[in-house]
Amino acid sequence: MSARNILVINCGSSSLKFALVNEAQATFPLQGLAERLGSPEAVVHWQLGDAKESLNLPGADHREILNHVLPLAQEAAGGQLDGIGHRVVHGGEHFTASSLIDANVLEGIRANAQLAPLHNPANLVGIEAAMALFPGLPQVSVFDTAFHQSMPEHAYRYAVPDFLYKEHGVRRYGFHGTSHRYVSKRAAEMMNLPVEDSSWLSAHLGNGCSTCAIVNGESRDTSMGLTPLEGLVMGTRSGDVDPNLHSHLARTLGWSIEQVDRMLNHDSGLKGLSGLSNDMRTLSEARQAGHPGATLAFEVFCYRLAKSLAGMACGLQKLDGLIFTGGIGENSAAVRERTLDHLKLLGFQLDGEANARCTRGVAGEIQVTGSPRVLVVPTNEERQIALDALALLDA
Ligand code: ADP
């Protein structure tokens, strides 16, 4: 059998990311991004082999983009496309693993839309468009939340009245599950440890950020909650604040729920603290030049991350390693160093040279001898989605 190809699709409300994953190739034969869908500025960028191209498609929606992507994917796959994998944000308590999509699965994704009103409907649009365009191909949904369904009740319940959980699903779900799952498996492979007898702390630090405690290949706790706002400081998201902030701002400034939500999700985090940017690379440069806002944002980001990791340690009996991943985790030696400065009590100490070496896709161990292990592991959510799709095809 020749190596199989899976087209991976990640639909946001006005964007669509895609990648063709070949099971035998380390790089993607095709990958791309369509943005500003539904507007006159709709555009799709893609890279096929070494060639980069862009096309303006004014007014294009998800379906039109997929119409355009299909022939590209077939070309990149040499005419042999074996399946499609869809990233779906919220699987609620319905989905504890990836699923082959049928009418029941579609209904389950729809039923969870209330928990992710911006994301699940966009994911469904992508799935339905792909099913209409590729009716003969198996399609698989891979949920951000599914990995965390193994959390024990004491980790996933909020201390609010019971009926809010039982009747309305108010609990902690967690996100970034595909990434935490992928990097913890990779870490076990890199260290020659059996996944089913290993314990990790993982920090996924991208535009969204979360930590996770992973035991024997299962999530035991994670920093995001009912929504991806809980937990760490992120690009534009505040992470944890006092839950009374909503009522405080309503009382003192007359703000509506929508205004507070917007501020916490879009104007906070690194952007809000620095007054400069949501982008850690920009902030790192500004910090080196002495910018006070960038310095503050960096310091709060690292301290809160360390605090979250120390808390996550409650989910473990032993530690085989702390994993850094995501754009910041994979590239910022300064964030790794400053974060571990705050975790000296747990014995962490970095090897400066190894820490500096692990950037731009270089994986490896970065601690000194005697310190608990610290690993940089590049994430690859597209490959994990394709692996899940292939496993379901084999089953
Ligand atoms: P997304 O969550 O959108 O997938 P990424 O995982 O690509 O995002 O992470 C984006 C973040 O990674 C941005 O804050 C970016 O500035 C940061 N980043 C990328 N390279 C570096 C670097 N060399 N130093 C510091 N931060 C970096």
Side-chain angles (χ1 to χ4, degrees):
M1 188 168 62
S2 59
R4 292 167 297 175
N5 293 294
I6 300 291
L7 177 62
V8 175
I9 295 174
N10 179 356
C11 275
S13 51
S14 64
S15 69
L16 189 161
K17 284 192 207 157
F18 55 94
L20 186 79
V21 183
N22 177 284
E23 63 182 329
Q25 291 175 27
T27 54
F28 303 144
L30 167 74
Q31 58 185 321
L33 164 69
E35 303 173 285
R36 301 194 281 276
L37 300 184
S39 83
E41 288 87 40
V43 59
V44 54
H45 311 279
W46 71 93
Q47 180 167 359
L48 181 61
D50 289 332
K52 287 186 180 173
E53 292 194 57
S54 291
L55 184 68
N56 293 314
L57 290 166
D61 59 10
H62 294 83
R63 184 162 181 164
E64 274 179 73
I65 296 297
L66 285 176
N67 238 329
H68 186 78
V69 169
L70 169 64
L72 289 173
Q74 271 167 344
E75 183 189 338
Q80 189 215 330
L81 200 54
D82 297 278
I84 301 188
H86 296 270
R87 176 191 179 211
V88 179
V89 167
H90 219 307
E93 290 186 335
H94 284 72
F95 297 103
T96 57
S98 302
S99 311
L100 214 47
I101 298 175
D102 59 14
N104 278 334
V105 170
L106 283 176
E107 196 39 50
I109 298 172
R110 215 166 274 126
N112 283 309
Q114 211 185 346
L115 292 167
L118 294 179
H119 292 101
N120 275 29
N123 299 150
L124 272 170
V125 167
I127 292 173
E128 283 168 348
M131 288 177 88
L133 287 168
F134 316 87
L137 277 184
Q139 316 235 358
V140 166
S141 52
V142 178
F143 302 91
D144 275 20
T145 51
F147 182 57
H148 302 299
Q149 280 297 304
S150 50
M151 284 195 284
E153 196 168 18
H154 62 253
Y156 72 70
R157 289 292 296 270
Y158 290 115
V160 296
D162 196 51
F163 81 94
L164 287 174
Y165 169 60
K166 299 255 167 66
E167 292 167 35
H168 303 284
V170 175
R171 53 159 283 178
R172 309 184 62 251
Y173 291 95
F175 300 84
H176 288 150
T178 311
S179 176
H180 291 300
R181 180 159 58 103
Y182 178 82
V183 296
S184 55
K185 268 196 314 189
R186 274 295 298 137
E189 280 165 17
M190 284 161 63
M191 294 300 113
N192 269 319
L193 293 169
V195 181
E196 57 291 349
D197 180 17
S198 67
S199 290
W200 308 96
L201 291 175
S202 153
H204 174 105
L205 311 173
N207 282 308
C209 300
S210 68
T211 54
C212 188
I214 303 152
V215 178
N216 304 341
E218 293 184 348
S219 170
R220 291 295 157 82
D221 198 357
T222 190
S223 59
M224 284 178 168
L226 175 72
T227 75
L229 184 60
E230 188 176 333
L232 305 179
V233 173
M234 315 185 205
T236 63
R237 282 175 247 164
S238 61
D240 293 341
V241 292
D242 186 325
N244 269 336
L245 186 58
H246 277 81
S247 55
H248 175 78
L249 293 177
R251 247 189 344 264
T252 56
L253 301 179
W255 282 20
S256 66
I257 293 277
E258 289 71 27
Q259 277 175 298
V260 182
D261 272 359
R262 199 176 155 74
M263 177 275 289
L264 293 174
N265 281 286
H266 300 286
D267 301 325
S268 297
L270 296 173
K271 180 183 170 193
L273 276 169
S274 68
L276 181 67
S277 171
N278 64 320
D279 190 287
M280 186 56 95
R281 204 168 0 188
T282 307
L283 295 182
S284 300
E285 285 160 14
R287 172 174 166 260
Q288 274 171 352
H291 188 285
T295 305
L296 175 68
F298 177 90
E299 291 296 337
V300 176
F301 182 92
C302 295
Y303 180 68
R304 289 268 301 270
L305 169 59
K307 214 163 118 171
S308 173
L309 287 167
M312 283 297 137
C314 295
L316 307 182
Q317 303 280 327
K318 63 164 181 166
L319 179 67
D320 289 310
L322 161 59
I323 304 165
F324 282 99
T325 193
I328 299 172
E330 292 167 29
N331 291 297
S332 177
V335 165
R336 297 187 298 239
E337 184 185 349
R338 192 77 187 109
T339 302
L340 293 189
D341 274 350
H342 295 300
L343 290 170
K344 285 237 167 68
L345 196 64
L346 301 181
F348 285 107
Q349 223 185 321
L350 287 188
D351 174 333
E353 212 172 285
N355 187 31
R357 195 179 337 114
C358 288
T359 59
R360 299 161 181 254
V362 177
E365 284 185 76
I366 59 171
Q367 79 285 353
V368 298
T369 313
S371 157
R373 186 183 284 129
V374 184
L375 289 168
V376 177
V377 182
T379 194
N380 195 331
E381 289 164 282
E382 292 81 4
R383 183 158 307 274
Q384 186 61 62
I385 291 172
L387 288 171
D388 285 9
L390 289 168
L392 284 164
L393 296 191
D394 288 338

